[in-house]
Amino acid sequence: MPDDRPVSLDDYPVHQVPLSMKHVATGDRNAYDRSIFHVFDHHGRALLITGLGVYPNVGVMDAYATLRVGDTLHAVRASDALGEDRMRLAVGPLRTHVERPLRDFLLRCEADPRDPDGLSYEIHWSADFPALWEPHHQQRRGARLTLEGKRFVQAGRCVGWIRVGGEEIRLRPGEWTGTRDRSWGVRPLPGEDGGRFAEEHPTEGFHWIWCPVRFDDRFLMVIVQEDADGHRSLNDATLVRPGRRDRQLGWPRAEIGYRSGTRHPERALIHLGDPRKPLELDVEVLTSTPLAVGAGYPPADDWQHGTWQGPAWIDRRAYDLSDPSAHPRAAYGVTDHAARFRLDGETGHGIFEHGSFGRHDPSGFTGFESVAP
């Protein structure tokens, strides 16, 4: 018999459909609800990414944290059965505590008593700017809706500590930046069978830029998604300044300088199309983390989000990123680059998230094996 008892959230006036807050309005197995935080220093020495997700129609809750220091990526992943307390954002040693919604968060990874040199941290993440909605995101394969997500993004500052390899990294004010992404909706989980539409509408190419940047007095968000022929399904550039109306910066156009023989960006110049004053956003990549290594994003081959691993599953490991050929599938996923940005005489810091695989006519890439000269 199904357990249909109310849960604690049902005592609050937050319902959107005539169901318990235990349930979502869709029966799609791919329903998800998750958050992602980026924490990085301003010199490219460390990039921490942590996320926590709920997959209500497969009964799974999982979380991950990856820390890149030098050429080593330290990863902690945890998964468990989804319980009824949706306000307890914790899986295994990983926890996200909402101290003040949209303002202050505590990010924690408990140490492994069997491995004192393993990754642990306690970080206070505080927003400096109001949250900004991203464009409504939809993708179809043929007539079928395969992805529909609602997201907002935010930037702020971080203090606290990270311990790994017998050393402690202190997060000092003014030396670290944080960004975060909050999203929910439907997106494909591993094991999804695309059926006839997948066969008749194969992916020819995918080109993606997701770029939240924190300056001292403003926050910039740029997002672009293009198909193989350059057609855009997502397009936005918005500048947020507290106390002022958000400034729309038109049709962003990126010139990306790739490392020879790869699609790994080293620099980029993004032209922002404000008709009153055209702007150029200069991007200098500091360090990089491929999300298909350790973080559970496709096409990872050791663990992906939303997959049932059994009760109380915890996995800790380290990856060597010095040899890209050791992780060949990472080139067909998205990579997060901690970067230094310059805009209109100001210097800021943020994430240049980029993925380009398959054909992309505007960049001159002709297929999945095509790379920069």
Side-chain angles (χ1 to χ4, degrees), residues 122-172:
E122 184 170 292
I123 299 169
H124 292 268
W125 194 107
S126 298
D128 285 326
F129 302 94
L132 176 70
W133 287 114
E134 297 179 24
H136 194 74
H137 193 184
Q138 287 188 332
Q139 287 182 199
R140 292 183 181 274
R141 176 163 276 179
R144 187 192 170 195
L145 183 67
T146 58
L147 183 152
E148 183 170 25
K150 190 64 178 175
R151 295 199 298 260
F152 63 79
V153 66
Q154 208 164 12
R157 54 205 143 82
C158 309
V159 295
W161 54 264
I162 301 171
R163 296 189 185 115
V164 70
E167 297 184 4
E168 181 173 282
I169 304 170
R170 301 298 301 186
L171 281 64
R172 304 187 188 281

Side-chain angles (χ1 to χ4, degrees), residues 16 26 38 43 61 97 109 113 117 119 140 168 200 217 241 262 273 280-282 312 346 359 367 371:
Q16 299 296 306
T26 176
H38 295 83
H43 301 282
M61 182 178 189
H97 178 63
C109 178
D117 290 338
L119 175 63
R140 292 183 181 274
E168 181 173 282
E200 295 181 356
D217 64 346
R241 293 169 292 178
T262 74
E280 293 182 340
L281 179 68
D282 182 75
E346 300 289 334
R359 193 181 108 232
V371 293

